[in-house]
Amino acid sequence: MKKIQSIRGMNDLLPDQSPVWQYLEDTARQLFERYGLSEIRFPILEPTELFKRSIGEVTDIVEKEMYTFDDRNGDSITLRPEGTAGCVRACEQSGLFNQSPRLWYMGPMFRYERPQKGRLRQFHQIGAEIFGLEGPDIDAELLVMTDRLWKDLGIRDHVTLEINSLGTGEDRQRYRTALVSWLEERREALDEDSQRRLISNPLRILDSKNPEMQKLLVEAPKLSEFLGDDARIHFEQLRALLDSTGIEYTVNNRLVRGLDYYGKTVFEWVTRSLGAQGTICAGGRYDGLVEQLGGKSTPAVGFAMGVERLVLLLDAARVVPDSIGRQVDAYFVGDEALRGRILAIAEQIRGLCPELRLLTHTGSGSFKSQLKKADRSGALVALILGENEAAAGNVTVKYLREESPQTTVSVAEAAVLLQQLLSQE
Ligand code: ATP
Ligand code: MG
């Protein structure tokens, strides 16, 4: 019989990888708490209309990357390709905007893209969205917060920050006109994709990955020259704030982002360590989106990071702590006849030492083969219960990763030893 395979670009997360994911998720969760953000969870399926109206009809995502189906009612529904739209919808629906919420979320997103390293069809994002604040100070704080995350994870040296201002809607309108007429004069030199975008979404041409196009665009009119006072001052203040916090950045005039709802500040954290899929975190300001979705005008700024890319970077940079990869700290072996005692002592130790990851040997097996399993489990120590230990109410602690001699102690003392071992890390 032909075996059923997973859908292309949708990966399983196997146990050897899940500790790194948990480590990343835990680190992010703690970070968000330190900056006063609260978690929000919203559905994976939303009405298709939500994404069309927010992300924009002529973006890559809506044009060709969404998983859209009719449900049994004939209503068009879509697997969320990103989190911001659902987050805004949820806040509006629940009246949360009155409280100027600071939110974070994490979970799977879906885009029909060509799968490759760091690009999947089911991928995961960790994101943050802050509502009700219009000043550049909150833009800066989000960047400070992400900067701290890279430091906490040990990848600060592997990433750089690029920022840009997209101006207000009016600024972009004026720029769009200028850019289109400049590009129309050079229509022959444009690749197929850019010719198509010239009509549908000309600003996206700036983001072209084609080197020929990039060369051509060096001379193109710059959005920065079209910024009105509002956006220009916002951007100058953001830069001053970043300077005063010592966060280095480059201004990338061609950074436009692929979603229509952005305005004023946009940014990307980029790494050179992952090849073409170098953006690990991207975001910006989207002051118009809440209103566009039918709510009261509400300023907003946020970002999303790609978990798969971050995990690739953590591995490439070799910064995952050893203790993260280990899933067992202690492995309990002993005479088969003493299985009941072993279970009871293991429970006692778990009670005394709650962080300990303790595996008890189950089934039969010679003492030697049990110890081999203990070694293969990656545990730091083997706990041993033989007849002598059992008679004396003791347990033997055998070190598997260091030269220390084994020691036979009471169960309570063993728990203290194990606790010490864990806190040394
Ligand atoms: P890219 O230019 O790489 O396609 P994007 O501009 O489409 O990225 P966003 O929509 O801003 O990306 O999503 C934020 C982050 O989510 C990206 O910077 C990236 O880290 C991650 N991401 C986006 N699409 C994918 C994908 N298909 N697979 C894995 N990660 C992704
Ligand atoms: Mg994309």
Side-chain angles (χ1 to χ4, degrees):
M1 220 201 298
K2 192 163 173 271
K3 286 192 188 141
I4 296 168
Q5 300 284 318
S6 67
I7 295 171
R8 197 163 116 82
M10 303 202 178
N11 290 349
D12 303 307
L13 181 68
L14 299 176
D16 65 331
Q17 276 289 299
S18 57
V20 189
W21 279 61
Q22 286 175 9
Y23 163 67
L24 177 58
E25 289 162 357
D26 291 346
T27 309
R29 192 177 283 119
Q30 283 160 18
L31 177 90
F32 293 140
E33 282 170 7
R34 293 166 78 186
Y35 286 80
L37 278 63
S38 316
E39 186 183 5
I40 183 167
R41 301 187 192 191
F42 39 84
I44 287 171
L45 279 168
E46 296 276 4
T48 303
E49 186 60 21
L50 174 68
F51 302 113
K52 286 193 177 170
R53 253 211 266 169
S54 54
I55 298 167
E57 298 255 15
V58 289
T59 56
D60 283 354
I61 295 180
V62 173
E63 273 184 343
K64 53 187 189 200
E65 295 177 359
M66 292 206 307
Y67 280 88
T68 297
F69 311 90
D70 283 352
D71 73 5
R72 288 170 192 279
N73 255 338
D75 298 324
S76 182
I77 55 175
T78 294
L79 283 164
R80 62 185 189 193
E82 55 101 57
T84 304
C87 184
V88 168
R89 201 250 335 115
C91 289
E92 178 60 25
Q93 195 171 329
S94 60
L96 212 61
F97 282 133
N98 295 328
Q99 300 165 30
S100 295
R102 300 177 179 224
L103 305 169
W104 67 268
Y105 61 84
M106 56 173 76
M109 307 293 162
F110 302 83
R111 295 185 195 176
Y112 193 80
E113 301 199 68
R114 192 168 68 78
Q116 52 200 292
K117 184 181 169 196
R119 192 176 293 286
L120 293 143
R121 289 182 173 176
Q122 174 173 331
F123 64 101
H124 297 75
Q125 285 184 337
I126 301 178
E129 317 286 355
I130 313 274
F131 297 98
L133 302 171
E134 61 187 353
D137 44 355
I138 188 67
D139 305 12
E141 190 171 60
L142 283 186
L143 292 170
V144 169
M145 181 172 81
T146 42
D147 177 73
R148 178 182 288 280
L149 180 62
W150 317 139
K151 286 179 188 148
D152 288 352
L153 293 170
I155 51 172
R156 186 62 189 87
D157 293 344
H158 295 260
V159 292
T160 53
L161 174 62
E162 296 184 2
I163 62 172
N164 193 20
S165 175
L166 294 184
T168 62
E170 276 168 37
D171 300 341
R172 279 197 301 287
Q173 200 56 53
R174 281 186 295 127
Y175 174 61
R176 191 186 154 116
T177 311
L179 181 68
V180 168
S181 66
W182 189 89
L183 287 168
E184 261 167 358
E185 284 164 26
R186 292 156 185 82
R187 189 182 268 275
E188 270 81 89
L190 299 184
D191 63 15
E192 201 182 315
D193 211 32
S194 302
Q195 296 213 5
R196 193 174 54 82
R197 282 179 168 150
L198 191 54
I199 299 149
S200 63
N201 198 352
L203 261 63
R204 277 294 276 172
I205 297 176
L206 299 178
D207 194 37
S208 170
K209 306 264 176 341
N210 180 346
E212 292 293 309
M213 294 304 304
Q214 286 181 5
K215 222 170 21 192
L216 179 78
L217 289 162
V218 174
E219 302 289 320
K222 292 192 171 42
L223 178 51
S224 56
E225 289 153 15
F226 289 76
L227 296 187
D229 282 349
D230 181 15
R232 189 179 46 76
I233 292 168
H234 189 101
F235 196 49
E236 277 166 11
Q237 288 176 339
L238 172 63
R239 294 182 60 172
L241 287 164
L242 290 178
D243 291 339
S244 65
T245 54
I247 296 181
E248 284 177 31
Y249 59 84
T250 53
V251 175
N252 176 353
N253 277 309
R254 299 220 296 273
L255 184 65
V256 288
R257 312 288 308 117
L259 302 86
D260 277 356
Y261 50 63
Y262 286 115
K264 290 187 180 165
T265 310
V266 286
F267 58 85
E268 290 192 1
W269 285 97
V270 186
T271 178
R272 289 171 173 278
S273 312
L274 296 181
Q277 271 58 252
T279 303
I280 57 160
C281 174
R285 188 160 269 287
Y286 51 97
D287 292 343
L289 181 59
V290 175
E291 202 172 8
Q292 205 174 305
L293 288 175
K296 254 198 340 231
S297 170
T298 307
V301 58
F303 64 78
M305 13 192 199
V307 175
E308 283 79 2
R309 291 185 197 177
L310 269 167
V311 168
L312 285 171
L313 183 55
L314 292 177
D315 286 340
R318 298 181 178 284
V319 290
V320 180
D322 283 347
S323 58
I324 300 301
R326 192 176 69 241
Q327 302 187 30
V328 178
D329 303 312
Y331 191 103
F332 208 148
V333 307
D335 290 357
E336 213 180 332
L338 296 170
R339 204 56 79 206
R341 284 292 298 281
I342 290 175
L343 280 178
I345 294 172
E347 274 316 290
Q348 215 181 327
I349 292 177
R350 287 194 185 99
L352 292 165
C353 191
E355 298 103 279
L356 184 74
R357 292 165 295 186
L358 173 59
L359 204 76
T360 56
H361 182 84
T362 49
S364 55
S366 71
F367 186 64
K368 203 171 148 203
S369 79
Q370 289 189 40
L371 271 182
K372 217 180 232 165
K373 282 206 168 140
D375 190 45
R376 260 192 250 131
S377 76
L380 298 173
V381 299
L383 297 174
I384 305 169
L385 192 79
E387 269 168 29
N388 293 343
E389 285 94 348
N394 285 338
V395 60
T396 294
V397 180
K398 179 178 165 66
Y399 295 88
L400 300 173
R401 315 286 157 206
E402 49 180 289
E403 290 304 314
S404 318
Q406 66 179 50
T407 168
T408 302
V409 292
S410 73
V411 172
E413 283 168 321
V416 172
L417 277 181
L418 291 164
Q419 190 66 58
Q420 282 169 352
L421 210 59
L422 291 183
S423 54
Q424 273 166 21
E425 292 187 313

